[in-house]
């Protein structure tokens, strides 16, 4: 009950039953944590059947992760990109730009196409990515020896090795890591509910050792490039 005090218009309910079809269809967004890949795949499929947005997140020590699936077609409103048709000025503009009162922001409807969690494959292009991707990949698969798994993936993809310190700190829940991942999840939920601004596509990885967070579009295994309204690059 005390959770409702800051926001009296928000109803907070706790449920001890399993997430089945009847439970999920009552909501517009379902966010689950601390699960494994098999659990996320089942819940994601139930959400897809009823048009419910699915979010999953985990933290393991200094590593954090989030995935979201807003459906095959998710429409939202975003500000149009303004193209400067004037001549380029090589000199830096040191003065604050004056606001033109006649210049109004224009918005347009866009469409984003998301991937089901069960359709995402292993990430193969890791040369410029984060080591947290490999760590999360192995942990979601319940890999027994995460260190050996990362070494094999590093050798296969010829990418940078995963720091030993990051692998040693995968137990427990660290408050700063939980706060960062929780903040990203909250940000995405607000964008999804309001349907304003582009949602993140579609995975977020946080490496607490370096303090860097990245987003990766984990496309489906049989993904083929089309001509979407939203660029997925």
């Amino acid at each position: 009950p005390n959770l409702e005090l800051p926001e009296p218009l928000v109803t907070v309910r706790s449920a001890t039953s399993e997430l089945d079809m009847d439970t999920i269809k009552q909501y517009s967004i379902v966010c689950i944590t601390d699960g494994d890949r098999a659990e996320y795949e089942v819940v994601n499929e139930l959400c897809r059947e009823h048009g419910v947005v699915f979010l999953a997140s985990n933290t393991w020590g200094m590593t954090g992760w989030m995935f979201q699936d807003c459906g095959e077609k998710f429409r939202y409103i975003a500000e149009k990109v303004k193209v400067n048709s004037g001549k380029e000025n090589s000199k830096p503009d040191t003065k604050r730009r004056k606001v033109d009162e006649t210049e109004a922001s224009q918005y347009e409807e866009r469409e984003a196409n998301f991937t089901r969690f069960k359709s995402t494959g292993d990430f193969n292009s890791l040369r410029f990515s984060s080591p947290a991707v490999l760590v999360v990949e192995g942990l979601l698969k319940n890999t027994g020896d995460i260190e050996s798994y990362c070494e094999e993936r590093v050798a296969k993809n010829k990418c940078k090795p995963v720091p030993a310190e990051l692998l040693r700190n995968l137990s427990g829940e660290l408050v700063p890591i939980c706060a960062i991942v929780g903040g990203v999840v909250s940000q995405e939920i607000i964008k999804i509910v309001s349907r304003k601004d582009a949602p993140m596509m579609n995975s977020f990885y946080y490496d607490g050792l370096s303090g860097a967070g990245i987003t990766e579009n984990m496309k489906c295994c049989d993904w083929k490039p089309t001509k979407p309204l939203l660029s997925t690059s």
Side-chain angles (χ1 to χ4, degrees):
N2 291 334
L3 292 175
E4 296 183 353
L5 294 179
E7 293 291 343
L9 299 179
V10 176
T11 301
V12 178
R13 293 179 295 178
S14 61
T16 56
S17 59
E18 295 184 1
L19 280 174
D20 54 16
M21 189 177 298
D22 293 332
T23 304
I24 287 177
K25 66 183 182 181
Q26 300 177 33
Y27 302 94
S28 56
I29 299 176
V30 169
C31 178
I32 61 176
T33 62
D34 302 325
D36 56 21
R37 187 174 182 90
E39 181 182 1
Y40 292 150
E41 288 179 359
V42 171
V43 177
N44 188 191
E45 289 304 301
L46 290 174
C47 290
R48 270 291 181 114
E49 290 181 17
H50 296 282
V52 177
V53 174
F54 169 79
L55 289 92
S57 65
N58 271 54
T59 61
W60 303 270
M62 299 182 69
T63 303
W65 164 82
M66 188 206 90
F67 171 86
Q68 68 178 3
D69 172 20
C70 298
E72 186 177 351
K73 294 181 180 180
F74 180 79
R75 294 188 175 274
Y76 62 95
I77 301 298
E79 188 174 356
K80 284 187 176 181
V81 178
K82 296 177 181 178
V83 179
N84 186 7
S85 58
K87 296 182 179 179
E88 294 184 0
N89 187 0
S90 59
K91 296 182 179 179
D93 186 7
T94 57
K95 297 182 180 180
R96 182 175 297 178
R97 187 177 68 88
K98 295 182 180 180
V99 178
D100 186 356
E101 295 181 356
T102 61
E103 182 182 332
S105 298
Q106 296 182 343
Y107 294 86
E108 62 183 357
E109 186 180 61
R110 299 181 185 175
E111 181 181 288
N113 309 111
F114 284 81
T115 301
R116 299 169 187 256
F117 187 65
K118 75 173 186 179
S119 299
T120 58
D122 291 339
F123 204 71
N124 295 318
S125 179
L126 292 167
R127 293 190 179 184
F128 305 103
S129 189
S130 168
V133 175
L134 291 180
V135 176
V136 171
E137 210 176 71
L139 291 172
L140 288 177
K141 293 179 178 180
N142 290 323
T143 304
D145 189 349
I146 185 64
E147 186 174 351
S148 298
Y149 176 84
C150 290
E151 288 178 355
E152 292 176 2
R153 295 283 279 121
V154 167
K156 179 180 178 181
N157 292 279
K158 298 180 180 180
C159 53
K160 295 181 180 179
V162 179
E165 188 175 352
L166 186 63
L167 293 172
R168 287 196 300 266
N169 291 276
L170 294 177
S171 60
E173 296 181 348
L174 303 180
V175 174
I177 308 300
C178 293
I180 291 170
V181 176
V184 174
V185 172
S186 302
Q187 167 189 283
E188 293 305 308
I189 290 177
I190 291 173
K191 289 194 289 185
I192 293 167
V193 172
S194 65
R195 291 186 178 266
K196 184 178 180 181
D197 296 329
M200 183 182 67
M201 297 183 64
N202 51 16
S203 300
F204 171 77
Y205 298 86
Y206 185 74
D207 173 8
L209 184 62
S210 63
I214 65 166
T215 59
E216 294 285 3
N217 188 356
M218 307 298 284
K219 302 181 181 69
C220 57
C221 303
D222 57 351
W223 181 86
K224 294 181 180 179
T226 57
K227 191 177 180 182
L229 294 178
L230 172 67
S231 173
T232 57
S233 59

